[in-house]
Amino acid sequence: MAYRRKRRRVKKCKLCSMKVNYIDYKDLNLLSDYINEKGKILPKRVTGNCSKHQRLLRQAIHRSRHVMLLPYTTDQ
């Protein structure tokens, strides 16, 4: 019996569709969409970002953590 694999739908980069060129480290509403509940950055296979925007996102999250706008981890 042949099993059919379910095809995953290709995730589109939300930031490309919004035509974002720069991600501001002070925009906590945007950055919090790409962080899980433990404070870790979500991978691009989960978020569907392209490589360019994933790099910009990582850079902005690291900057906002450095100036203490975002926590490094959450206490359990």
Side-chain angles (χ1 to χ4, degrees), residues 8-21:
R8 291 185 185 174
R9 85 180 166 90
V10 177
K11 295 181 180 180
K12 302 288 183 186
C13 180
K14 186 168 75 170
L15 299 170
C16 279
S17 63
M18 293 174 10
K19 297 185 179 180
V20 173
N21 291 325

Side-chain angles (χ1 to χ4, degrees), residues 58-74:
R58 182 190 61 80
Q59 191 176 48
I61 290 171
H62 282 286
R63 281 183 183 161
S64 75
R65 284 178 178 166
H66 186 72
V67 296
M68 301 223 181
L69 294 175
L70 283 177
Y72 282 96
T73 58
T74 57

